[in-house]
Amino acid sequence: PIEHPIEEEEGKTGGCKCTGFLGNSVARGMGITAAGRGAVVASNIFISSSLLYLASQEAGCLDEDGKTTDCDAKIYGFQPSSLITNIAVISNLVAAVFNPLVGALVDFTDHRHALGTICSFIIIMIQAIQVYTVSSTWFIMAILQSIAGAIYQFMLTSTYAYFPEMTKELGEKAMHSIAPKITITQFSFQATFMVLIIGISIGIGSGDVLTAQISQGINAAILLVTWSIGWFKLLPKSKAKRVLPEGKSLCSAGFSQIFQTAKHINSNYKHSIRWYLLALIFAEAGANSFTICAVTYLNEVLKMSGTETGIVFLIVLVCTIPGSFLCEYVVNKTNFNTGWRLNMLYFAVVTTVGVFVLNDEYDKIKTYILGIFWGIALGWFYPTENGFFAVLVPQEQATEMAGIYNFCALVISWCPPFIFTAMNENGIPLNYGLLHLVVYFFIAIGFLSLMPDWETVIAESHGGQSSQEQEGDEEETTAKDPATKPDSNTESTNQLDVEQPSSSQAQE
């Protein structure tokens, strides 16, 4: 680790202390690309509302006021209300299938930087093209949106690969400060972008289509600036992390790496990381699909415009801040396992209440209020999930574990929007489509409940075996040589240090 990264890195990059990234060019590059990602995430809300409106218009499912009506008409074989979830199904399925190959490209070749750059500029082009989203082009734009969603995941894989190297260069302690600042940068730009677009929309009285066109145009300009600086000036080109095994292609090496890591986890971390990753599969599927399904729900059930939907998600975004502080409080009082289970239980309860309380366009005020509680849920969810993973994974295996983490987060991400679409197409009310997300949270809670006590989990994750196994080994060793018995005071102190993560870790 660099002992004085501010001074040393400033000399190399011309960095500034005031950015909070210790003058490190990679950290600053991660920060500025995160700013662009914040704008992308925000713009997706407005383009989704526009696509829903245009699809409903073509199907003849709009009333005189331009609001969606209960309509059985179909367009391209589906109801207009299934459009956004269909886009998510395609994006997430493609991302899940190709994730091992992209991971292998990042690990086994020198093309990580090129991959991130190419993916970023494909997204910029799509955002710019979508400025021309009108009644005659909406279906093509929907296809482009599904492509952009998959490419966005590939870009994240190449971007996040810089984290282990940054940690090695600056030290773990510095990362406790830098990592949250990267997230804060993304959320800040996301909130600022949403306020800007909502303000313009209200100011000029624009509808969903024009609002989305303005959003995509401004977003494309922001991305061109932030991602150009990030990829061309700050983020460096990198060498392959590993040597491709002889006789294997990138594709086979990627899937083999996932399989071998899974076997290793099942053998050596069966009480800790195994249950975490199984829980992650379902928890990520439920949480990530919430936003996708919620956009459709707000538009179709509550008859919200794109601007009103944007206001709801702005409230959600702002309320993630108290949610992150709640994460820190709960984790410090309990542990990451208990904190994550409580969070998902809370998320499930709030979603269930929302499903039965928000029934029509007269419930819009209630939606804004529930947005506060959903924001707290999401702000509590992600820091707990990420902090839990950081505490469990040994530092020397961070890169290896990151690959299977990404795979688990994506592997069934297509499933909730697929089921939501199937329920919608079969006439099941959207209330129940949104409610079914609760099932994923309860499955994740079930897997986490199979973990033993926290002390055992931490002992195994950092020692490769559970505390019960360690105790058995110690008793066997002590029987042979009593002098080798560990000092109980030292052991208890070390366990306490691991068990109580710092507030900065919990916040991250």
Side-chain angles (χ1 to χ4, degrees):
I2 298 174
E3 293 183 4
H4 304 286
I6 296 177
E7 291 79 2
E8 292 183 24
E9 288 300 318
E10 278 182 357
K12 288 190 286 185
T13 65
C16 169
K17 298 179 184 179
C18 60
T19 63
F21 295 119
L22 304 181
N24 182 270
S25 63
V26 177
R28 288 160 56 215
M30 295 284 281
I32 198 166
T33 53
R37 293 198 302 273
V40 170
V41 173
S43 71
N44 283 343
I45 295 171
F46 301 105
I47 190 65
S48 295
S49 295
S50 175
L51 291 172
L52 277 173
Y53 177 88
L54 292 169
S56 298
Q57 183 183 58
E58 184 163 333
C61 295
L62 295 179
D63 62 17
E64 296 178 354
D65 297 325
K67 295 181 179 179
T68 56
T69 61
D70 294 330
C71 176
D72 294 329
K74 295 191 175 185
I75 189 76
Y76 295 104
F78 292 93
Q79 294 184 28
S81 52
S82 296
L83 177 64
I84 301 306
T85 47
N86 278 338
I87 290 173
V89 170
I90 296 170
S91 295
N92 293 342
L93 189 57
V94 170
V97 169
F98 287 97
N99 175 264
L101 174 60
V102 174
L105 193 64
V106 169
D107 286 346
F108 295 113
T109 74
D110 300 339
H111 304 313
R112 181 210 308 174
H113 185 273
L115 174 67
T117 304
I118 292 170
C119 287
S120 296
F121 282 89
I122 290 175
I123 293 172
I124 293 174
M125 286 191 293
I126 291 175
Q127 298 286 310
I129 292 171
Q130 285 179 326
V131 171
Y132 190 61
T133 300
V134 294
S135 57
S136 60
T137 63
W138 71 266
F139 186 66
I140 296 173
M141 299 305 178
I143 294 173
L144 289 177
Q145 186 71 2
S146 64
I147 294 172
I151 292 175
Y152 183 83
Q153 294 296 334
F154 302 153
M155 181 196 69
L156 286 181
T157 299
S158 59
T159 303
Y160 288 158
Y162 284 98
F163 266 112
E165 296 171 4
M166 195 162 48
T167 302
K168 184 178 180 181
E169 181 180 359
L170 297 178
E172 187 175 353
K173 190 172 182 179
M175 288 302 297
H176 291 165
S177 170
I178 290 175
K181 285 183 175 64
I182 292 172
T183 302
I184 290 170
T185 300
Q186 178 172 335
F187 279 8
S188 298
F189 265 76
Q190 186 175 338
T192 302
F193 185 90
M194 293 181 74
V195 169
L196 175 63
I197 301 302
I198 291 170
I200 293 174
S201 175
I202 294 174
I204 66 175
S206 59
D208 289 353
V209 176
L210 179 56
T211 299
Q213 291 171 338
I214 295 170
S215 170
Q216 294 304 97
I218 295 175
N219 184 41
I222 291 174
L223 294 182
L224 186 61
V225 174
T226 56
W227 285 357
S228 293
I229 295 173
W231 288 106
F232 291 127
K233 184 176 180 181
L234 298 174
L235 292 175
K237 295 181 180 179
S238 58
K239 297 293 183 181
K241 295 180 180 179
R242 305 177 187 180
V243 177
L244 185 67
E246 188 176 350
K248 284 193 175 182
S249 64
L250 280 175
C251 186
S252 62
F255 282 96
S256 175
Q257 183 173 299
I258 295 290
F259 179 71
Q260 294 301 325
T261 304
K263 282 181 60 179
H264 172 69
I265 290 170
N266 193 53
S267 299
N268 297 283
Y269 303 102
K270 55 188 176 183
H271 298 297
S272 54
I273 300 177
R274 178 178 68 173
W275 296 125
Y276 171 86
L277 291 175
L278 288 171
L280 176 74
I281 290 172
F282 292 91
E284 276 285 316
N288 286 341
S289 298
F290 171 77
T291 303
I292 297 165
C293 297
V295 169
T296 300
Y297 190 84
L298 296 179
N299 277 267
E300 297 295 322
V301 177
L302 302 178
K303 313 302 180 186
M304 284 188 158
S305 66
T307 300
E308 290 172 326
T309 301
I311 293 173
V312 172
F313 281 102
L314 179 60
I315 293 171
V316 170
L317 182 63
V318 171
C319 291
T320 59
I321 298 172
S324 66
F325 285 109
L326 181 59
C327 158
E328 181 177 3
Y329 175 81
V330 173
V331 167
N332 285 333
K333 289 292 183 182
T334 57
N335 55 62
F336 279 107
N337 189 3
T338 301
W340 203 17
R341 284 183 290 171
L342 288 173
N343 164 250
M344 286 187 280
L345 179 61
Y346 169 83
F347 207 152
V349 169
V350 173
T351 301
T352 302
V353 170
V355 163
F356 290 104
V357 169
L358 307 177
N359 297 309
D360 53 45
E361 60 184 305
Y362 301 105
D363 295 325
K364 290 181 180 180
I365 299 299
K366 297 177 186 176
T367 308
Y368 298 131
I369 296 172
L370 274 171
I372 297 172
F373 296 97
W374 272 316
I376 292 171
L378 289 168
W380 182 2
F381 179 89
Y382 288 106
T384 309
E385 175 191 273
N386 296 335
F388 198 171
F389 181 71
V391 167
L392 286 182
V393 174
Q395 183 62 41
E396 64 275 8
Q397 298 184 43
T399 302
E400 177 186 1
M401 295 295 184
I404 197 167
Y405 176 94
N406 291 334
F407 179 77
C408 289
L410 288 171
V411 66
I412 66 164
S413 59
W414 55 271
C415 189
F418 176 80
I419 293 176
F420 187 94
T421 297
M423 295 173 74
N424 184 42
E425 292 297 318
N426 285 280
I428 299 174
L430 293 180
N431 305 59
Y432 297 106
L434 189 62
L435 181 63
H436 103 278
L437 299 180
V438 169
V439 173
Y440 299 92
F441 293 132
F442 281 115
I443 294 174
I445 291 171
F447 281 123
L448 293 176
S449 298
L450 294 174
M451 284 187 177
D453 61 274
W454 184 246
E455 178 184 329
T456 302
V457 169
I458 290 298
E460 179 189 74
S461 65
H462 289 273
Q465 57 182 349
S466 69
S467 60
Q468 287 97 332
E469 291 169 333
Q470 287 177 337
E471 185 178 346
D473 292 344
E474 289 167 4
E475 289 177 355
E476 183 178 349
T477 304
T478 304
K480 295 177 181 179
D481 184 5
T484 62
K485 184 176 181 179
D487 181 74
S488 58
N489 292 331
T490 303
E491 182 181 34
S492 61
T493 301
N494 291 338
Q495 289 174 349
L496 181 63
D497 289 341
V498 173
E499 189 172 299
Q500 300 293 337
S502 67
S503 60
S504 60
Q505 286 176 310
Q507 183 68 27
E508 182 181 342

